[in-house]
């Protein structure tokens, strides 16, 4: 995430990954304030065994795009809601990447973070049958948890 304040949103992705038994790490890596840290993190991600990167950022939200420009791994961008523009600035910064540098862009805020965790798990589940089964069970439990009656 771009700053510690983004954890309020991004912890939802970590929670989903925990629930699904997916090993992950969380780091503060700012595209603007810690560019060398971003470079080192993104260029070394695959060598360290990472398979997917979830990058959450608010405001100008350059973190997901910059990370994607420095790794061949899939990068999922979560727009963090900003005070000034309610996350629309973040969403557009992440979604409007130039051709050739893809970033899978999720919804603004909590929903986007949850879905980023689920999408990362789905990507990993392509080659991990046990994770695929856990993901299917998670989704079945979500379906089963929907009430039939409004009361």
């Amino acid at each position: 995430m771009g700053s510690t304040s983004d954890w309020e949103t991004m912890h939802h992705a970590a929670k989903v990954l925990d629930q699904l038994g997916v090993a992950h790490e969380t780091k503060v890596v700012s595209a603007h304030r810690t560019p060398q840290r971003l470079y080192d993190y993104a260029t070394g991600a695959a060598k360290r065994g990472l398979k997917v990167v979830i990058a959450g950022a608010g405001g100008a939200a350059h973190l997901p795009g910059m990370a994607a420009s420095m790794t061949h791994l899939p990068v999922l961008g979560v727009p963090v809601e900003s005070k000034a523009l309610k996350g629309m600035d973040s969403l557009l910064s992440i979604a409007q990447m130039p051709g050739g540098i893809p970033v899978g862009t999720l919804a603004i805020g909590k929903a986007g973070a949850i879905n980023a965790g689920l999408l990362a798990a789905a990507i990993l589940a392509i080659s991990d049958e046990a994770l695929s089964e856990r993901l299917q069970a998670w989704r079945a439990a979500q379906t089963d948890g929907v009430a039939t009656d409004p009361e």
Side-chain angles (χ1 to χ4, degrees), residues 37-112:
R37 187 184 306 170
L38 169 58
Y39 177 83
D40 294 342
Y41 189 85
T43 60
K47 291 177 192 164
R48 291 187 310 103
L50 298 184
K51 303 291 184 200
V52 180
V53 174
I54 299 173
H62 290 120
L63 178 62
M66 290 299 297
S69 75
M70 292 184 256
T71 184
H72 67 278
L73 298 174
V75 175
L76 307 178
V78 178
V80 173
E81 188 172 337
S82 57
K83 291 179 184 175
L85 299 173
K86 304 297 182 202
M88 286 302 296
D89 49 347
S90 312
L91 174 65
L92 295 174
S93 292
I94 297 170
Q96 287 302 118
M97 290 299 297
I101 310 293
V103 174
T105 308
L106 286 298
I108 297 168
K110 177 181 176 180

Side-chain angles (χ1 to χ4, degrees), residues 17 51 111 136:
L17 294 170
K51 303 291 184 200
Q136 290 175 57

Side-chain angles (χ1 to χ4, degrees), residues 100-151:
I101 310 293
V103 174
T105 308
L106 286 298
I108 297 168
K110 177 181 176 180
I114 291 168
N115 285 340
L118 291 169
L119 185 54
I123 291 167
L124 296 170
I126 291 170
S127 59
D128 183 337
E129 186 60 34
L131 176 55
S132 178
E133 291 173 11
R134 293 192 305 273
L135 182 58
Q136 290 175 57
W138 190 96
R139 289 184 177 192
Q142 177 179 324
T143 299
D144 293 343
V146 176
T148 316
D149 299 314
E151 296 175 20

